[in-house]
Amino acid sequence: MPEARSLIDRYAAHLPVTERTPRLTLGEGNTPLVRAPALERETGLPEVWLKVEGQNPTGSFKDRGMVVAVAKSLEAGARMVLCASTGNTAASAAAYAARGGLSCTVVLPAGQVAAGKLAQAVAHGARVVAVRGPFDAALAVVRALAEQGEATVVNSVNPHRLEGQKTAAFEICEALGEAPDALFIPVGNAGNITAYWKGFVEASESAMATKRPRLFGYQAAGAAPLVSGRPVSDPQTIATAIRIGNPASWKGAIAARDDSGGAIDSVTDDEILSAYAFVARCEGIFCEPASAAAVAGLRKLARVGGLREARRVVCVLTGNGLKDPERARSLAGPIAEVEATPDAVRGALSR
Ligand code: F0G
């Protein structure tokens, strides 16, 4: 069976690649765009779609950017990649480095990385170090190490990451035959909202779309520097992926917001968890808590009638729910364990 075309091959004309760039691939991109009827009923919007980025090879959107960043590192003759991460970047860097034969070091905020992400980084053979402090402290360390020439940084401060990530905007335009009216996206280090805007601008300059969507970014209330306008020194949220106090792509996020006529707002942890449960139980899609911030934002804006002129909106579900199994389990009580008889099971179900 022929292998599906790699993301790099599919979008080579729009990416900073040459014939010499290795066609590295783990099958990233081409993720499903799924209709969300329960959200349509709740919001009253004619069309709500979910871009299910958790179906990427390592379970998050990071793979789109990582495949380009690692391929370019290989092309440049690098031997080692390095990143700071709340978990997903680490998982993706570790996997693509393994595939490309590079060594990988990841620096994580101690005690704040979901179990599945840590498992992935370790499984793919990355060297893992946890630092005391938030993601922002880890990124500062990584930048300092990189300045001393230790490795190629594959955080979104690496422009190849954003180039790869913009391909999700292309896919949305291709699937819908046009850009949506609005796009809802969680914001942490702010690379992805920056990348989507770049993608939609480029799509509107090509045959992929004739218009651009308004971008609505959502931070967690305890980690919302772009909403308050100043860095947060001790960011707090159950959505550990976006527990970030000083986003590297601050300017890119503000430009995406302003140029698109959108907004960046915050949602509380309760709103995030409610959206997380809603998407899992009513749409059948299991995303991670950070991803649910986009859905929480859509629900919040729809409630106050902020979307009257929009007909077709997309929420980006950035990561797979399996990344953070403990969070999912914490939403329900203990599971009954009984004798293996129909009566005992019936009894447990009726309690
Ligand atoms: N959703 C998920 C699941 C993420 O892992 C991240 C970021 C975001 C949203 C926010 O994207 O940073 O581009 O604004 N995760 C990074 C990481 C920080 O290290 O994995 P952003």
Side-chain angles (χ1 to χ4, degrees):
M1 199 175 78
E3 255 194 300
R5 279 177 79 198
S6 67
L7 185 96
I8 292 178
D9 263 337
R10 262 198 301 143
Y11 293 114
H14 302 271
L15 293 171
V17 296
T18 68
E19 317 82 75
R20 290 191 317 282
T21 312
R23 265 33 182 184
L24 186 69
T25 187
L26 291 171
E28 60 289 328
N30 216 355
T31 55
L33 188 67
V34 177
R35 196 82 183 251
L39 280 168
E40 288 171 0
R41 280 193 296 276
E42 188 187 288
T43 59
L45 284 161
E47 283 184 40
V48 179
W49 298 85
L50 304 172
K51 181 68 170 160
V52 189
E53 289 289 277
Q55 296 220 26
N56 275 296
T58 76
S60 86
F61 70 95
K62 305 288 180 177
D63 296 340
R64 294 179 184 276
M66 201 57 71
V67 70
V68 179
V70 172
K72 293 301 286 184
S73 303
L74 285 168
E75 185 180 347
R79 300 293 321 135
M80 181 178 159
V81 295
L82 171 67
C83 67
S85 181
T86 56
N88 280 325
T89 297
S92 186
Y96 283 90
R99 184 73 177 193
L102 297 173
S103 71
C104 175
T105 296
V106 303
V107 183
L108 310 174
Q112 294 295 334
V113 173
K117 304 174 187 181
L118 196 53
Q120 289 177 286
V122 171
H124 291 301
R127 292 189 297 173
V128 179
V129 182
V131 295
R132 295 182 202 103
F135 166 84
D136 310 280
L139 183 58
V141 169
V142 158
R143 285 175 128 159
L145 290 175
E147 262 167 38
Q148 290 152 31
E150 311 220 357
T152 308
V153 176
V154 292
N155 280 104
S156 55
V157 295
N158 178 330
H160 297 133
R161 278 276 313 278
L162 301 191
E163 291 295 323
Q165 283 172 214
K166 78 183 178 190
T167 60
F170 297 165
E171 288 179 11
I172 289 170
C173 294
E174 287 166 347
L176 298 175
E178 177 58 284
D181 298 319
L183 182 103
F184 290 77
I185 185 169
V187 177
N189 211 26
N192 211 27
I193 190 171
T194 305
Y196 266 85
W197 183 238
K198 190 166 200 292
F200 282 121
V201 168
E202 290 179 22
S204 72
E205 289 163 352
S206 77
M208 286 184 258
T210 64
K211 62 179 186 186
R212 301 165 183 179
R214 297 171 74 189
L215 298 200
F216 293 91
Y218 289 89
Q219 301 202 285
L226 295 169
V227 181
S228 67
R230 51 183 182 278
V232 175
S233 59
D234 184 21
Q236 295 296 342
T237 170
I238 54 97
T240 52
I242 53 171
R243 190 172 177 271
I244 294 175
N246 192 11
S249 295
W250 188 301
K251 288 198 187 116
I254 298 300
R257 178 193 72 187
D258 295 345
D259 295 350
S260 77
I264 297 179
D265 195 5
S266 64
V267 284
T268 65
D269 280 2
D270 282 350
E271 288 170 323
I272 289 172
L273 286 175
S274 165
Y276 171 72
F278 185 90
V279 174
R281 292 174 191 178
C282 303
E283 303 289 10
I285 297 177
F286 189 25
C287 67
E288 64 172 286
S291 310
V295 176
L298 168 65
R299 296 171 100 188
K300 184 178 172 181
L301 197 59
R303 238 182 356 255
V304 299
L307 275 166
R308 248 175 246 114
E309 77 289 13
R311 294 194 49 76
R312 181 188 260 172
V313 309
V314 173
C315 287
V316 184
L317 299 185
T318 48
N320 197 304
L322 291 170
K323 295 267 189 179
D324 195 353
E326 283 148 17
R327 176 58 56 192
R329 277 297 294 117
S330 75
L331 296 185
I335 289 172
E337 189 179 318
V338 297
E339 293 307 314
T341 67
D343 278 349
V345 171
R346 226 179 269 119
L349 290 172
S350 65
R351 271 201 291 278

